[in-house]
């Protein structure tokens, strides 16, 4: 039985019948490919509170696009706004969001069963939203998405505070489209997001702090007028309502032309722009303010345009994807030694964790140090491309990073690390990404002799063993822990031997036979694996859980020893730890 026959048979058992597309007569759409009449069905869903009519649309038989359920008319027991019902267009009326957060699989080898699962979950969703109290929980989860109502892009880079924050509203062009910039410096924000046109500042905005309890929507739905905003705030947050109403009644609201109001909730920003209320700066004195409030809040409530800005502040950009237990790198002075095959990938990863960004009063800086030039031999496993060939690696990497984030503080040092040892005291984190053993030993010795370590300083070594089968990282955050020299066993008049060999076969250490005897071949995968290992070590250190300080991760292959991690014991014969 083919997929279509299997689906038809399953739906017939539930009383759904195949119909022509109900939208083809209304307007042209590219939403559904193939023959629309083959993909549309109509039937009755049996909810707990009663039957409800529904359309079912199946865009394709392998479910690469999920089937959709449409409710043409609500029954009396489903009156009021619901987060899971999206208004659309007659005759479909409302789209039902049934598979919340992708909780089940649609299997193309069992199409009939998959479609019945869609109908079952649609009924479960309807039964849930039939209870109006579920609006609170459901709307809190996706309040920024449910709030959206403005077509132009709006960006905001104002950091969260525990008080009302007044800022400017600028307008500019980004890729040919209008954007609004909510910021204390709209020009700086325009540069941050890549606007090229001049910035016009025409109004002010106010941002209210996060209330004790998160905001939510009610069965009245997102507000459409100033009166709706008042009712919504009075019901959901009395503390935010008092702040908002006090501003609305103040002379400052009019003299500074505060047309935009925003509310923080659950790391998001939602708000509105007052529409068609005239020039606020013309309102002067208590009488005119009362007249304005009476007219636009009570008698003829002014329309509002809902806005959910994209947060562009560093707190959000850095913290959005980090677990709460991980601290970031903002406000730290970081030295990355080596901008080659590891450092080239590690630097932008550090940037994403906040390296080079300020944190309140602490000015952070990412310093790149490398004395070498990017050549054609590096391109195959370096983050930088041919356009940087012939440039110093540190300088080229700085140019690339500044292009990614304009407000970052980055320095580039075109020298070998031995020329800047006197500056080590200025850094909170030093990363040795050179993969060169003498530099690792020198750094451990130099920092231990100066008693550099404290509760907020660390040295991290990260390197690739041999032909790339093993990546390793060693963190030194105290004189009590093992140093880089502790990695070897020492005997008189003998070459030091690794205490923790990475390989069982010597072929993993063989050099290339291409005329460059010092080159060890490995692919870019080894560079990326080492970068990931370094980031994990740094995040553990920042979370004040630095163990295990030594981490060894292995790829699959004959002769490669398995991954392991632990806190290395100091070597009693270590020449560095004896200092």
């Amino acid at each position: 039985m083919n997929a279509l026959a299997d689906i038809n048979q399953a739906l017939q058992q539930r009383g759904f019948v195949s119909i022509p597309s109900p939208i083809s007569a209304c307007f042209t759409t590219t939403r559904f490919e193939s023959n629309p009449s083959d993909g549309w069905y109509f039937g009755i869903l049996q909810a707990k509170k009663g039957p409800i009519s529904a359309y079912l649309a199946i865009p394709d038989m392998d479910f690469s696009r999920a089937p959709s359920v449409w409710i043409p008319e609500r029954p009396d027991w489903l009156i009021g706004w619901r987060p899971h019902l999206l208004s659309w267009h007659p005759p479909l009326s409302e789209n039902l969001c049934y598979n919340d957060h992708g909780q089940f699989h649609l299997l193309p080898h069992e199409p009939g069963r998959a479609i019945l699962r869609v109908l079952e979950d649609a009924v479960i969703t309807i039964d849930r939203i039939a209870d109006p109290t579920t609006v609170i929980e459901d709307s809190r989860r996706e309040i920024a998405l449910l709030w959206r109502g403005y077509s132009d892009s709006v960006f905001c880079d104002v950091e969260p505070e525990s008080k009302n924050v007044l800022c400017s509203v600028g307008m500019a062009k980004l890729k040919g489209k209008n954007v609004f910039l909510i910021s204390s410096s709209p020009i700086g924000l325009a540069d941050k997001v890549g606007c090229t046109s001049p910035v016009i500042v025409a109004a002010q905005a106010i941002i209210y702090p996060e209330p004790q309890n998160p905001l939510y929507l009610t069965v009245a739905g997102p507000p459409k007028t100033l009166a709706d905003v008042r009712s919504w705030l009075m019901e959901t947050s009395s503390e935010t309502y008092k702040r908002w109403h006090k501003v609305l009644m103040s002379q400052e609201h009019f003299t500074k032309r505060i047309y935009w109001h925003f509310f923080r909730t659950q790391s998001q920003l939602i708000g509105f722009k007052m529409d068609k209320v005239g020039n606020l700066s013309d309102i002067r004195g208590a009488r005119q303010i009362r007249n304005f409030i009476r007219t636009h809040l009570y008698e003829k409530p002014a329309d509002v345009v809902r806005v959910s800005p994209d947060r562009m502040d560093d707190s959000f950009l850095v913290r959005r994807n980090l677990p709460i237990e991980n601290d970031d790198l903002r406000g730290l002075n970081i030295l990355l030694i080596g901008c080659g095959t590891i450092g080239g990938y590690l630097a932008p990863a550090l940037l994403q964790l906040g390296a080079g960004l300020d944190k309140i009063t602490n000015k952070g800086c990412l310093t790149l140090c490398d004395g070498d030039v990017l050549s054609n031999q590096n391109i195959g496993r370096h983050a930088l491309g041919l356009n940087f060939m012939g440039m110093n690696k540190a300088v080229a990497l700085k140019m690339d990073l500044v292009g990614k984030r304009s407000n970052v503080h980055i320095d580039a040092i075109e020298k070998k690390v031995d020329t800047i040892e006197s500056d080590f005291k200025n850094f909170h984190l030093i990363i040795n990404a050179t993969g060169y053993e003498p530099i690792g030993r020198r750094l451990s010795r130099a920092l231990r002799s100066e008693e550099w370590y404290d509760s907020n300083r660390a040295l991290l070594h990260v390197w690739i063993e041999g032909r790339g089968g093993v990546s390793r990282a060693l963190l030194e955050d105290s004189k009590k822990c093992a140093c880089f020299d502790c990695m070897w066993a020492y005997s008189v008049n003998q070459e030091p031997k690794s205490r923790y060999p990475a390989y069982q076969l010597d072929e993993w250490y063989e050099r290339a036979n291409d005329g460059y005897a010092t080159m060890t071949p490995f692919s870019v995968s080894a560079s990326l694996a080492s970068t990931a290992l370094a980031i994990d070590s740094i995040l553990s250190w920042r979370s004040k859980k630095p163990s295990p300080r030594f981490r060894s991760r292995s790829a699959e292959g004959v002769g490669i020893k398995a991954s392991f991690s632990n806190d290395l014991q100091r070597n009693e014969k270590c020449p560095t730890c004896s200092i």
Side-chain angles (χ1 to χ4, degrees):
M1 184 181 297
N2 63 34
L4 180 59
D6 190 33
I7 289 173
N8 284 334
Q9 183 179 15
L11 288 174
Q12 286 173 6
Q13 295 174 1
R14 296 295 177 90
F16 274 73
V17 295
S18 178
I19 62 170
S21 168
I23 63 173
S24 58
C26 302
F27 53 87
T28 302
T29 179
T30 57
R31 184 188 296 268
F32 305 104
E33 297 176 358
S34 71
N35 187 350
S37 63
D38 292 339
W40 282 92
Y41 299 83
F42 180 80
I44 304 297
L45 297 175
Q46 297 297 332
K48 289 180 180 179
K49 289 192 174 183
I52 184 169
S53 302
Y55 290 106
L56 172 67
I58 307 174
D60 52 56
M61 299 301 167
D62 62 2
F63 308 127
S64 58
R65 291 179 293 165
S68 55
V69 177
W70 305 84
I71 307 300
E73 185 176 1
R74 290 200 201 185
D76 293 340
W77 45 266
L78 196 56
I79 298 302
W81 180 83
R82 297 292 191 277
H84 289 274
L85 285 172
L86 175 66
S87 296
W88 203 59
H89 193 287
L92 301 181
S93 186
E94 294 176 299
N95 178 217
L96 177 69
C97 178
Y98 61 88
N99 186 12
D100 193 21
H101 300 291
Q103 293 177 345
F104 63 84
H105 298 282
L106 295 173
L107 303 177
H109 63 277
E110 295 180 335
R113 181 182 175 187
I115 289 300
L116 293 182
R117 183 68 177 86
V118 169
L119 297 183
E120 290 167 5
D121 203 69
V123 171
I124 292 172
T125 302
I126 291 171
D127 288 339
R128 172 179 170 76
I129 66 176
D131 179 1
T133 62
T134 61
V135 171
I136 296 175
E137 179 185 345
D138 292 347
S139 65
R140 275 177 172 165
R141 288 192 304 168
E142 299 181 292
I143 191 166
L145 180 64
L146 296 169
W147 184 273
R148 286 186 184 274
Y150 199 65
S151 58
D152 289 335
S153 297
V154 181
F155 300 108
C156 177
D157 68 349
V158 179
E159 294 282 351
E161 293 192 37
S162 58
K163 61 182 181 180
N164 295 350
V165 178
L166 187 65
C167 48
S168 300
V169 180
M171 187 174 68
K173 291 281 188 180
L174 178 63
K175 298 179 181 177
K177 296 183 178 180
N178 289 331
V179 295
F180 289 90
L181 309 163
I182 315 298
S183 175
S184 59
S185 174
I187 294 176
L189 179 54
D191 183 55
K192 190 174 187 177
V193 300
C195 295
T196 54
S197 70
V199 177
I200 301 172
V201 178
Q204 297 285 307
I206 191 163
I207 302 176
Y208 302 94
E210 180 116 15
Q212 186 174 0
N213 296 313
L215 298 175
Y216 57 89
L217 297 174
T218 70
V219 291
K224 298 178 182 178
T225 68
L226 211 54
D228 294 342
V229 172
R230 176 179 177 273
S231 300
W232 167 65
L233 287 176
M234 289 181 69
E235 182 173 350
T236 60
S237 176
S238 60
E239 59 177 304
T240 303
Y241 169 73
K242 290 175 183 177
R243 285 179 175 273
W244 173 75
H245 193 263
K246 184 177 180 180
V247 170
L248 200 65
M249 295 292 294
S250 69
Q251 183 64 60
E252 181 185 49
H253 177 255
F254 298 93
T255 56
K256 295 192 174 180
R257 298 187 301 142
I258 304 175
Y259 286 92
W260 304 65
H261 295 251
F262 296 103
F263 311 95
R264 292 195 183 277
T265 183
Q266 301 183 103
S267 300
Q268 301 294 333
L269 270 177
I270 59 175
F272 64 90
K273 172 182 175 288
M274 291 192 296
D275 195 28
K276 299 177 183 177
V277 293
N279 191 344
L280 293 183
S281 60
D282 291 339
I283 307 299
R284 296 182 178 90
R287 174 178 289 184
Q288 290 188 354
I289 291 175
R290 287 195 298 270
N291 289 339
F292 177 91
I293 297 299
R294 184 177 64 253
T295 300
H296 296 293
L297 190 58
Y298 296 102
E299 295 177 354
K300 296 180 180 179
D303 291 337
V304 297
V305 180
R306 293 190 308 277
V307 183
S308 182
D310 292 327
R311 284 186 60 182
M312 300 300 295
D313 54 285
D314 292 330
S315 293
F316 182 82
L317 297 177
V318 173
R319 297 291 321 167
R320 172 64 173 83
N321 301 108
L322 280 179
I324 192 170
E325 65 270 14
N326 289 142
D327 200 355
D328 55 71
L329 304 181
R330 288 176 296 158
L332 298 185
N333 291 323
I334 300 172
L335 173 62
L336 175 60
I337 303 169
C339 300
T341 186
I342 297 176
Y345 292 99
L346 183 53
L350 294 173
L351 196 71
Q352 289 176 293
L353 292 176
L357 297 172
D358 299 345
K359 188 172 186 179
I360 309 177
T361 58
N362 297 328
K363 184 177 181 179
C365 183
L366 174 61
T367 301
L368 310 173
C369 177
D370 201 308
D372 290 337
V373 170
L374 188 71
S375 71
N376 62 328
Q377 302 168 39
N378 308 134
I379 296 299
R381 60 189 188 195
H382 202 285
L384 298 176
L386 293 171
N387 54 319
F388 290 107
M389 269 186 56
M391 293 183 63
N392 173 270
K393 291 179 181 178
V395 173
L397 193 54
K398 174 183 176 179
M399 290 178 60
D400 187 59
L401 295 177
V402 170
K404 290 180 170 68
R405 187 168 294 179
S406 60
N407 65 324
V408 72
H409 308 296
I410 300 180
D411 289 336
I413 300 176
E414 304 178 61
K415 299 177 182 178
K416 299 294 184 181
V417 66
D418 57 354
T419 65
I420 62 167
E421 284 189 8
S422 61
D423 296 326
F424 286 171
K425 61 182 180 296
N426 299 323
F427 297 101
H428 301 101
L429 174 64
I430 296 177
I431 305 171
N432 170 27
T434 64
Y436 191 45
E437 291 175 11
I439 290 181
R441 291 190 168 94
R442 180 166 188 157
L443 288 171
S444 288
R445 190 173 297 112
L447 296 177
R448 286 182 180 244
S449 62
E450 291 185 12
E451 298 188 354
W452 175 75
Y453 298 101
D454 61 24
S455 60
N456 196 34
R457 283 198 170 104
L459 167 64
L460 177 68
H461 309 271
V462 56
W463 69 96
I464 298 168
E465 289 278 0
R467 290 194 167 213
V470 177
S471 297
R472 286 183 164 175
L474 176 68
L475 181 74
E476 300 182 49
D477 63 331
S478 167
K479 290 188 69 173
K480 297 179 181 179
C481 65
C483 76
F484 191 79
D485 260 333
C486 290
M487 297 282 299
W488 282 266
Y490 298 92
S491 300
V492 179
N493 297 325
Q494 293 185 13
E495 282 290 310
K497 295 183 179 180
S498 174
R499 296 171 65 193
Y500 311 95
Y503 304 108
Q504 296 168 332
L505 301 176
D506 290 340
E507 65 188 50
W508 282 97
Y509 289 103
E510 291 179 0
R511 305 283 186 176
N513 186 22
D514 67 344
Y516 291 93
T518 59
M519 199 276 285
T520 304
F522 56 80
S523 73
V524 69
S525 62
S527 310
L528 295 171
S530 300
T531 295
L533 186 60
I535 292 299
D536 289 345
S537 297
I538 292 169
L539 288 177
S540 294
W541 166 66
R542 288 295 286 158
S543 301
K544 303 194 184 311
K545 297 178 180 178
S547 297
R549 291 175 173 83
F550 177 63
R551 307 179 187 216
S552 180
R553 289 185 187 170
S554 305
E556 299 79 15
V558 177
I560 303 177
K561 291 196 173 182
S563 302
F564 74 98
S565 300
N566 60 29
D567 283 332
L568 300 184
Q569 295 296 316
R570 291 175 61 172
N571 185 350
E572 294 181 357
K573 297 182 179 180
C574 173
T576 295
C577 289
S578 61
I579 294 177

